[in-house]
Amino acid sequence: MTPQIIFISISAVAGLIIIALITGIILETQFRKKLKKALDRPEAMDAFRESWPPSKLVKHSLRMERLAKIWGKSVISDTGIAPLWADKMETRPTKRALKRVLYHSPKVFVCRAFLTGLKNKRLTPVLTTWINETGPEQALRQISQSCRGEAFDGTEAHKLISPLLADNLDPIIEFTGASEWYTRYFAYKVLLHDQDKRSKRAAWDGFFDTHPLIRNTLAIEFSSDERNKLYTQLWELLLEDPSFEVRKSSKMRILQDFADLHTPSEKKLTGTPALRFLQLLEDGSPDEINIAMEFLSSTDLELRFPAASFLERNGILEKLLLTSTMEDRVVLERNLSMLKMALEVNVSSFLKKIGSNSTPGALLTAAKLLNQGGDRKMLAPLAEAIFSFFEKEKPGPEYIEIYTTLLSGIKKRGNDAALQQMFNEIKSRRNQEPFLELLLPAIPTRGDSLFIPLLIDFLKTDEFPSRETLITTLVKMPAELILPNIFEILDGNRADYSHTIRISCLRLLGRLKLPYCLQCILEYLPILPREEALEFAEILNEYPREEFEKKAAALFKTTDGQIRAALIRVLPPIENRTFIKEIRNALKDADPDVRIAAIEALLSFGEIRLLNQETSMLRDPVERVRLATARVIGEYGVPAALTVLEDILKDENETRPVIKAAIAGLGASATPESLNLLIGMLDQDLPYTQEIIAALSERQSKKDLMQLIENFRGGSPALKDHLIEVFKTQEKNAEPALLKLLEEQDDSLKAYIAEILHGTGYIGKTIRKLSHREIKIRKQAAIWLSSLESTASYRGLVLAARDPDQEIRVLVVKALERLNNPEGSEILEALKNDPDRRIRKYTLWAMERLKALALE
Amino acid sequence: MTEKTESILSHDEILKTLTEAKPLLFDKGCHENSLAALVEKAIEITHSDLAAYYQINRISVRKTNLCLIYKKFRRPLPEILPGEGELVSFILDCRETVLKLSSNEDSDEKLFSEILLHPSMKSGVAIPIISETAEGVSYVTGILYVNSKTNNFYNRSRFLLLENLSKLAMGFIKRCDNEDSPKNVPLKEGVVV
C-alpha cells in the first residue's frame, strides 16, 4: 500500500467522520429546536409526537434525561415518556430507572417508584436518598398523594419510613385527616404496623373512614391486644358496613383469628344486619347451617334468599330432597315445606340431583315442588326418572301420587322436552288402562300438534282401552285438527273402521258442539246403541233447539227407519215433546226398531193411556219387539203394568225370551210389589230361577234389601238358598247396605244378616283381615266380627285373642265376655267342637275365663 | 280382706286390696325381692294353696324354658319347666291369663293341665308378667302360677285380684328391668309355708 493510498483512505474516513458529526449536530440541533418549539407552544407538541412518539423517545432516555436537566421536568411529562419510564422501572428495576422516575418524572409517578424501591432491597438506598434529599415529610406527602390504593407491604413501608422520621410518625398520622382517600389509605397502611399509642388510636379511627378500601385494609391487617374490642368492631363491620368487600374481609378475619369469640347462633339477628350476615355464611359450618335453616322459613324473602342459596351451596337442600321417604310422611311433608320455601325465592338447582336412582319419596317431593315452581327444564329429567321408576319397579298403589303429581306438573308447566317424555310414556302405555286414565287427562292443549296424531291413532284402534277418556281429551283439542279425522272415519267405508270406532267418532263430534255439524250428527245417530243414544241425547240438548227440531222434522219424513228410530230414542231424555204425534204413529211403523223406540219413548213421556196399546205389543210378531215391550213395562212399574207382566209369567204358552224380558222388567221396577212377585216366583222353584235371581240382584236399595231380608227370615230353606245366591250376586254392592242395616236395626235381623254375610263369604273375608299387617284393619275387622255375634264371626274372633296388639286382645276378651249368656253359650259350645284345634284351644280358654267370672 | 275374697268383692274393695299390695311390691327395692312379694301377695289375697313365679329363659331362638325364681309351697316344685308345652306357647302367643278351674280328664279339657304344678292341686291360674325392652318392645318375662286344692276355687273376685296384681307387678318389673337385667337374677330358695 502506497503512502498516497493510506493518506487518501485516512482523509476519506476523516471526511466521513466530519460529515457524520456535522450531520449529527444538525440533526440534534433540529431535534432540540423541534422539542423546544413543542415545549413552548403546546399546539406544536402533537406534530412533535408524530415524528417522536414516546415509544421512540424512550430509546433516547439518556438524551431526554440530559434535556430534562436543562429544560426541566416538562420535557418528560409533556413528551409522554414518563409513563414508559415508570413501566420500564417496574419491569426492569434498575437504579437508573428508579432515579429517572424519582428525579425527572412528574410527581404522580413517585408512588410507583416508592413501591419499586420498597420491593427491591438493592434499590432501597436510592429511594431513601431521594427521600432524604427531598425532605422526608415532603417526600412522603408526594408518595401518599400519588398513591391510588395500590397494595403494598405495610410492614416493610413502616420499617423504611420510621427511621427516616426518627420514629416519630406524626406526619403520617396527620395524613389520616387528608381529604383524599388515597393519602389516608397510604397513611393507614403504614400506621397499622406502628406500635405507638397515637398510631394505634388513629388506626382504630380508620374503621370509620369513608372509603371502603381503608375499612377493608383495617379489617384485614389491623391487630390489637384488645381482642374483644377488635372482634366487636369486626362483627359490627360484618353486620353494618354497606360495602360487601369490607363485610367479606371482616368475616374472613373473624373466622381466621376470632373463631373462639364467634357465637352467631346466640345473637338474634333481624332486618338488614341479618341479611348481611346471611350473605357471608361460612360453608360447611354446622352452626351457620342451623342459622340458615332457621331463616329458610322466614317470612322476609330478602332474608330467606341468602339462607336458601347457602343451604343449596352446602348440599343441605339436596339432602332434604333425597332423604324424603314415602314411609315417613311427616318427614316428607316437613322437607317439602322447607324446600317450597327455597323455591319461593327461586332457589331450585337442588332439583337437578333427581335421577333414576332417587327414592320414591324424593321423586314425589320433586314432583310436588316442580308443580309449584322452579326451573321448568327440570320437569323432563324428573319425568324420565319417574316413568322409569314405574316401568322397572311396578310400584304399588301408594306410589300413584308420584305419577299424578308429575303429570299435573307437566300439564301446568311442562316444556317441550317434558311433553315429549309424556308422549313417549303414553305411547308405551297404550294398552294399560289404569295408566292411560291418568295420562290422557294430563295432556295440555298446548301440546296439540305433538299429541293429536297419537290420539287419533288411538281413536282408530279398536282395542284401545280408555276410549271415554280419549274422547274427553280430544274434545279439549283444537277442532280444526280433529274434524278431518272424524269425517274420514264416519264417511269412510264401514269395513275400514269398526262400529266401536265409529261410535267414538260420533260421540266426539257431538261433544265438540259445532252447530254446523248438527245435520251430520243426526244422520249418523243410528250408529249409537240404545244406551249410548240416551246418553248422547244430553249432548244434543246443548245444540240450538230450533235448528235441531227443523232438521229432525225433515228426517222424520225420510224413509230411513234407522234414523227415525234413533231420533225417537233421543227425544225423551231431552224432554222434547214436539214430535209426540210422529212417535204415536211410529207404533205402527213397518220397521220393528222404530216400533221399539216408539214404545220406549212414549212410556218415558208418561203416556199411560197408551198402556193397553203397548200390552198388545207384547203379542207383536217380532220377538225383540215383544221383549223390549216387556222390559219397558216392567221399568214403568205401575200396578196395572205389573199385572200384565204377571199374566205373561203365568201364561204357559208364552215364549221363554218374553218371559225373561218380563222378569228383567220386574227387576228394573222399583216397587215392593214387583219384588214380592219375583220372590214369590223364586219360592215356586220355576224354571226361570236364574233369571229371577239375576233380576233380584239388581234390587239393591236399602228398602229392597230390607224386604229381601224379611223374606229371608220367614222363607223356606230353598228360598233362603236362592236369596243367598241373590246376595252373592249382588256382591260388594249389597255388603255396605247390609252392614249399615246391621248397625241401624235392632237385634231381630242380626242373626239373619250374619247368616247372609256368612253365605256370601263376607265373614270369611273379614276373618282373613285379622291377619292383615296393619293394626287398623285388624282392629276394624275384630270390632265388626264382635258386633255380629254369630258362631261364624266368633270362630275368627277367638283367634284374634293372640293378636300382638293389646288393644285388639282386650277387644276380643270383651267380646267373649259378652257371650256370657245362654245364646253365647251356644256359640261357645259350637266352637268347642270346632275341627280346628287352635279354635278349640282358644274357646276353652275363653270358657274357663267366663266360668270364673260367673262364679261367686 | 281374707273373708272378703270368699265372696265377690266390689270394685272399690278390689282397689283397696291392691292399694295395700302396692307398697309391698315397690318397697322391696330390688327385682327378686319384688317377685317374692308378688308371690306372697298372690297367696295372701286369694287364699290359694300354692304360688310360684317362673322366669322365662330364652335358650336359643326357638327354645325356651321356665326357671323357678320363687315359690310359696311346702313341697318341692320343678325348678325348670319346659317351654314347649301347650300352656307356655299359648301364653307367649296371646299374653293373656289362663285359668283351669277343674282337673277333669275329659280330652280337650286336659288342655292347660300344666297350670297345676302339683298333683294335689285341682284348679289354677297362670298369669303372664310382661316387661318391655329399652326400645319399647314388650315381651313375656315370666309366669305367675297360683293353684288351689279346691275345684272352681278361682271366682270373679280372685280372678280380677290376680289380674290387677299382675298389672301392678308389671309396672314395677318394667322399671326394675331398666336397671337390672332379669337374666342376672339368681335362683332363690323357696319359702316353705
Side-chain angles (χ1 to χ4, degrees):
Chain A
M1 188 177 281
T2 59
Q4 286 91 347
I5 291 173
I6 294 169
F7 176 77
I8 290 166
S9 300
I10 291 169
S11 303
V13 169
L16 282 172
I17 290 169
I18 291 163
I19 290 167
L21 278 170
I22 292 167
T23 312
I25 290 164
I26 293 167
L27 287 174
E28 178 65 18
T29 312
Q30 280 176 347
F31 171 75
R32 288 191 179 202
K33 223 176 190 176
K34 268 187 190 173
L35 179 59
K36 184 68 182 155
K37 190 180 167 189
L39 289 171
D40 292 343
R41 288 165 48 201
E43 64 272 13
M45 184 53 84
D46 289 340
F48 174 79
R49 280 200 180 181
E50 268 180 31
S51 51
W52 288 94
S55 55
K56 190 176 171 185
L57 277 179
V58 82
K59 291 172 188 163
H60 301 270
S61 291
L62 269 172
R63 191 175 174 191
M64 292 303 287
E65 209 178 314
R66 275 200 309 274
L67 288 173
K69 280 177 189 167
I70 303 165
W71 293 335
K73 286 184 180 179
S74 60
V75 173
I76 308 302
S77 58
D78 292 358
T79 54
I81 194 173
L84 299 184
W85 273 3
D87 291 345
K88 201 174 171 187
M89 170 193 70
E90 283 167 350
T91 51
R92 293 181 62 193
T94 60
K95 285 182 181 175
R96 177 167 288 280
L98 181 62
K99 276 181 184 169
R100 269 178 197 150
V101 176
L102 286 172
Y103 290 97
H104 304 301
S105 293
K107 288 174 189 172
V108 290
F109 296 102
V110 169
C111 183
R112 289 174 72 177
F114 170 76
L115 298 180
T116 308
L118 201 64
K119 263 192 271 180
N120 299 282
K121 293 287 170 204
R122 62 190 174 79
L123 302 184
T124 311
V126 176
L127 183 63
T128 47
T129 310
W130 176 79
I131 291 172
N132 283 327
E133 281 174 8
T134 313
E137 230 180 293
Q138 178 65 18
L140 291 169
R141 189 177 297 280
Q142 280 184 27
I143 293 168
S144 67
Q145 283 174 350
S146 62
C147 146
R148 288 295 177 271
E150 293 89 344
F152 63 93
D153 187 342
T155 321
E156 288 299 318
H158 179 262
K159 267 189 212 166
L160 178 85
I161 292 167
S162 191
L164 293 171
L165 292 172
D167 293 334
N168 178 7
L169 294 192
D170 281 355
I172 306 290
I173 293 173
E174 200 184 302
F175 293 169
T176 60
S179 58
E180 294 299 346
W181 67 269
Y182 35 83
T183 310
R184 299 199 302 277
Y185 166 76
F186 177 81
Y188 281 118
K189 276 292 272 188
V190 177
L191 288 176
L192 275 172
H193 306 282
D194 192 44
Q195 298 308 314
D196 187 80
K197 276 184 186 172
R198 283 171 302 163
S199 301
K200 286 281 175 199
R201 189 185 295 166
W204 276 110
D205 292 342
F207 282 113
F208 303 98
D209 196 280
T210 53
H211 201 276
L213 183 60
I214 295 168
R215 300 196 299 277
N216 191 45
T217 306
L218 281 156
I220 296 168
E221 295 183 32
F222 184 57
S223 61
S224 168
D225 295 335
E226 297 171 274
R227 282 190 84 237
N228 284 326
K229 187 180 171 189
L230 182 53
Y231 169 71
T232 311
Q233 186 60 57
L234 290 167
W235 174 252
E236 270 180 31
L237 282 183
L238 174 62
L239 300 188
E240 305 293 345
D241 202 292
S243 159
F244 181 79
E245 186 190 11
V246 176
R247 296 200 302 276
K248 191 176 175 187
S249 300
S250 303
K251 181 65 188 278
M252 282 169 68
R253 182 75 194 281
I254 286 173
L255 294 177
Q256 189 184 312
D257 297 334
F258 300 94
D260 54 326
L261 301 175
H262 189 52
T263 49
S265 53
E266 290 169 13
K267 290 163 180 137
K268 192 167 170 54
L269 297 172
T270 51
T272 310
L275 170 67
R276 288 172 177 156
F277 180 78
L278 291 169
Q279 284 171 335
L280 287 160
L281 288 170
E282 183 197 0
D283 284 345
S285 159
D287 276 355
E288 302 203 350
I289 286 172
N290 283 340
I291 294 172
M293 287 296 270
E294 278 174 32
F295 279 99
L296 185 61
S297 48
S298 168
T299 49
D300 186 343
L301 298 189
E302 200 173 22
L303 298 182
R304 197 193 294 171
F305 173 65
S309 304
F310 169 78
L311 290 171
E312 185 178 57
R313 203 165 61 238
N314 281 270
I316 305 298
L317 299 184
E318 176 191 335
K319 207 169 162 189
L320 286 176
L321 175 68
L322 299 179
T323 54
S324 298
T325 65
M326 298 284 283
E327 287 72 30
D328 193 342
R329 290 298 289 208
V330 178
V331 171
L332 189 139
E333 291 300 331
R334 193 193 62 207
N335 291 355
L336 179 66
S337 104
M338 292 174 95
L339 294 173
K340 271 184 185 171
M341 300 275 187
L343 210 63
E344 278 173 18
V345 286
N346 294 313
V347 173
S348 63
S349 299
F350 59 89
L351 286 167
K352 287 180 185 159
K353 301 291 172 187
I354 285 290
S356 55
N357 53 353
S358 299
T359 63
L363 294 175
L364 177 63
T365 310
K368 284 192 171 193
L369 289 168
L370 281 170
N371 231 312
Q372 191 189 32
D375 189 349
R376 296 193 308 137
K377 269 194 293 187
M378 292 176 205
L379 271 165
L382 178 68
E384 195 181 350
I386 291 179
F387 291 150
S388 132
F389 171 74
F390 276 81
E391 182 63 36
K392 286 180 204 154
E393 304 288 334
K394 309 274 183 267
E398 66 273 23
Y399 293 118
I400 286 300
E401 190 187 355
I402 303 174
Y403 203 78
T404 51
T405 313
L406 168 76
L407 295 181
S408 148
I410 295 177
K411 187 177 185 183
K412 230 193 288 177
R413 318 181 52 236
N415 60 359
D416 287 351
L419 292 179
Q420 187 61 48
Q421 287 284 350
M422 191 175 176
F423 175 86
N424 296 341
E425 175 74 359
I426 295 175
K427 222 171 159 184
S428 66
R429 303 277 189 191
R430 62 185 302 152
N431 296 320
Q432 298 172 35
E433 192 177 359
F435 282 97
L436 287 170
E437 289 298 322
L438 302 173
L439 285 160
L440 294 179
I443 297 176
T445 312
R446 65 179 185 281
D448 50 6
S449 56
L450 175 66
F451 287 96
I452 284 180
L454 181 67
L455 296 177
I456 295 295
D457 183 33
F458 289 165
L459 189 70
K460 290 178 180 174
T461 308
D462 214 9
E463 310 79 38
F464 185 73
S466 293
R467 205 154 272 282
E468 188 56 43
T469 316
L470 174 67
I471 292 171
T472 311
T473 310
L474 278 166
V475 166
K476 287 185 221 151
M477 296 293 169
E480 65 271 21
L481 298 177
I482 306 168
L483 272 181
N485 297 289
I486 294 177
F487 282 107
E488 182 203 324
I489 295 167
L490 287 176
D491 297 343
N493 196 328
R494 286 187 190 202
D496 293 342
Y497 299 106
S498 71
H499 195 57
T500 316
I501 296 169
R502 291 163 67 79
I503 289 171
S504 301
C505 273
L506 182 59
R507 290 181 56 220
L508 173 58
L509 183 61
R511 286 180 61 183
L512 283 173
K513 291 180 198 161
L514 305 170
Y516 52 87
C517 291
L518 184 58
Q519 184 68 32
C520 298
I521 293 170
L522 295 179
E523 285 173 8
Y524 279 119
L525 269 184
I527 291 175
L528 296 173
R530 179 181 177 258
E531 291 73 23
E532 294 213 27
L534 300 181
E535 279 174 34
F536 195 76
E538 297 297 324
I539 297 169
L540 282 178
N541 210 13
E542 291 175 31
Y543 283 78
R545 190 179 173 108
E546 204 178 313
E547 195 65 20
F548 168 77
E549 285 178 1
K550 203 172 116 192
K551 291 182 187 301
L555 287 168
F556 266 121
K557 287 176 189 159
T558 62
T559 52
D560 195 313
Q562 292 298 305
I563 290 181
R564 276 183 285 122
L567 267 175
I568 292 171
R569 268 190 221 114
V570 298
L571 292 174
I574 57 173
E575 293 174 7
N576 188 328
R577 301 176 77 98
T578 316
F579 301 100
I580 205 93
K581 194 178 157 197
E582 283 84 348
I583 298 172
R584 278 187 197 137
N585 293 338
L587 285 173
K588 288 169 189 154
D589 199 287
D591 190 320
D593 287 322
V594 178
R595 295 205 296 277
I596 293 170
I599 293 161
E600 289 173 351
L602 286 171
L603 269 182
S604 299
F605 280 131
E607 294 286 323
I608 303 167
R609 286 175 294 128
L610 293 165
L611 189 66
N612 288 334
Q613 199 172 349
E614 282 153 12
T615 49
S616 71
M617 288 187 72
L618 286 166
R619 308 278 177 261
D620 194 283
V622 180
E623 188 180 291
R624 60 195 175 95
V625 178
R626 295 203 299 272
L627 208 86
T629 310
R631 194 190 63 234
V632 170
I633 294 172
E635 282 173 9
Y636 194 61
V638 295
L642 294 177
T643 313
V644 171
L645 290 179
E646 196 177 357
D647 290 344
I648 291 174
L649 295 175
K650 286 174 184 166
D651 187 349
E652 288 175 2
N653 298 321
E654 189 52 84
T655 61
R656 190 179 170 89
V658 175
I659 289 178
K660 276 166 76 175
I663 292 170
L666 288 168
S669 167
T671 61
E673 291 80 11
S674 60
L675 193 72
N676 278 337
L677 195 62
L678 285 170
I679 295 171
M681 286 173 67
L682 201 59
D683 209 11
Q684 290 168 36
D685 211 12
L686 293 169
Y688 311 109
T689 306
Q690 284 313 313
E691 284 78 7
I692 296 169
I693 288 173
L696 281 173
S697 65
E698 297 295 320
R699 309 290 293 259
Q700 295 174 6
S701 72
K702 194 175 151 190
K703 214 167 120 192
D704 289 344
L705 284 173
M706 280 282 289
Q707 205 177 334
L708 284 168
I709 296 166
E710 283 292 349
N711 278 285
F712 183 87
R713 177 152 67 170
S716 64
L719 179 63
K720 278 186 175 182
D721 286 347
H722 290 319
L723 286 177
I724 292 267
E725 278 302 306
V726 171
F727 288 116
K728 272 187 184 172
T729 317
Q730 287 178 335
E731 279 184 333
K732 286 177 186 167
N733 296 334
E735 280 164 6
L738 286 169
L739 297 175
K740 203 149 185 262
L741 271 178
L742 196 66
E743 282 172 24
E744 290 170 5
Q745 294 298 313
D746 54 38
D747 290 348
S748 59
L749 286 181
K750 192 181 264 184
Y752 300 101
I753 295 176
E755 198 180 337
I756 291 165
L757 289 172
H758 181 53
T760 62
Y762 185 77
I763 291 180
K765 196 173 85 183
T766 312
I767 288 173
R768 284 193 293 281
K769 283 185 185 169
L770 288 171
S771 53
H772 197 276
R773 62 189 161 81
E774 275 186 43
I775 296 177
K776 208 171 125 190
I777 292 174
R778 296 204 305 274
K779 192 175 164 190
Q780 197 51 47
I783 290 172
W784 188 81
L785 287 170
S786 68
S787 71
L788 208 54
E789 292 179 16
S790 72
T791 308
S793 68
Y794 270 92
R795 191 172 185 272
L797 195 62
V798 284
L799 290 181
R802 56 200 283 271
D803 195 282
D805 185 67
Q806 196 191 359
E807 214 179 325
I808 295 176
R809 293 202 305 274
V810 169
L811 207 101
V812 174
V813 171
K814 280 185 184 162
L816 289 169
E817 282 172 4
R818 279 208 301 276
L819 291 183
N820 204 3
N821 56 49
E823 295 83 30
S825 305
E826 273 178 40
I827 293 177
L828 285 171
E829 278 303 322
L831 293 173
K832 197 179 150 191
N833 297 315
D834 196 277
D836 188 334
R837 181 169 166 74
R838 280 190 315 160
I839 290 172
R840 290 205 304 275
K841 186 163 78 173
Y842 276 88
T843 307
L844 277 169
W845 161 74
M847 286 177 84
E848 288 289 276
R849 202 180 158 94
L850 291 177
K851 205 168 146 189
L853 288 171
L855 282 174
E856 296 192 357
Chain B
M1 183 182 71
T2 308
E3 284 72 31
K4 277 176 182 166
T5 52
E6 299 304 322
S7 60
I8 289 183
L9 293 179
S10 70
H11 182 265
D12 288 345
E13 286 165 332
I14 291 173
L15 204 66
K16 191 173 166 239
T17 311
L18 290 168
T19 313
E20 284 166 15
K22 195 175 170 183
L24 184 68
L25 284 175
F26 281 78
D27 294 346
K28 283 291 173 181
C30 74
H31 194 268
E32 64 267 38
N33 286 346
S34 207
L35 293 174
L38 171 67
V39 173
E40 298 274 357
K41 209 68 199 169
I43 288 272
E44 190 190 320
I45 63 175
T46 59
H47 272 211
S48 296
D49 297 308
L50 177 157
Y53 180 80
Y54 281 82
Q55 185 164 293
I56 294 177
N57 283 332
R58 281 166 183 83
I59 299 162
S60 65
V61 178
R62 289 185 182 169
K63 200 169 177 188
T64 53
N65 67 17
L66 281 82
C67 173
L68 179 65
I69 297 292
Y70 193 85
K71 73 178 171 86
K72 193 160 173 75
F73 186 54
R74 71 182 70 217
R75 293 185 197 161
L77 291 180
E79 289 196 349
I80 303 284
L81 289 178
E84 296 78 33
E86 196 91 55
L87 175 71
V88 178
S89 57
F90 182 89
I91 283 180
L92 291 177
D93 201 15
C94 77
R95 301 174 180 202
E96 288 294 333
T97 299
V98 181
L99 291 108
K100 178 89 181 161
L101 294 177
S102 58
S103 57
N104 288 345
E105 289 305 305
D106 185 8
S107 63
D108 256 338
E109 289 187 6
K110 268 202 295 188
L111 201 68
F112 305 138
S113 55
E114 306 112 287
I115 288 181
L116 308 176
L117 291 178
H118 193 268
S120 60
M121 297 298 152
K122 300 286 187 212
S123 58
V125 186
I127 308 147
I129 303 295
I130 294 161
S131 187
E132 214 171 67
T133 63
E135 293 79 34
V137 180
S138 60
Y139 66 97
V140 182
T141 181
I143 300 174
L144 172 67
Y145 289 84
V146 188
N147 288 182
S148 168
K149 288 175 183 171
T150 315
N151 273 332
N152 297 327
F153 181 75
Y154 295 98
N155 58 15
R156 183 184 182 80
S157 313
R158 290 192 176 97
F159 174 58
L160 293 179
L161 274 171
L162 285 169
E163 281 240 298
N164 289 308
L165 179 71
S166 69
K167 276 178 196 154
L168 273 180
M170 282 178 219
F172 173 76
I173 288 166
K174 216 180 279 177
R175 208 176 63 182
C176 259
D177 280 355
N178 291 334
E179 299 151 15
D180 176 22
S181 165
K183 283 175 187 167
N184 301 329
V185 177
L187 178 68
K188 187 149 183 164
E189 282 303 313
V191 176
V192 178
V193 183

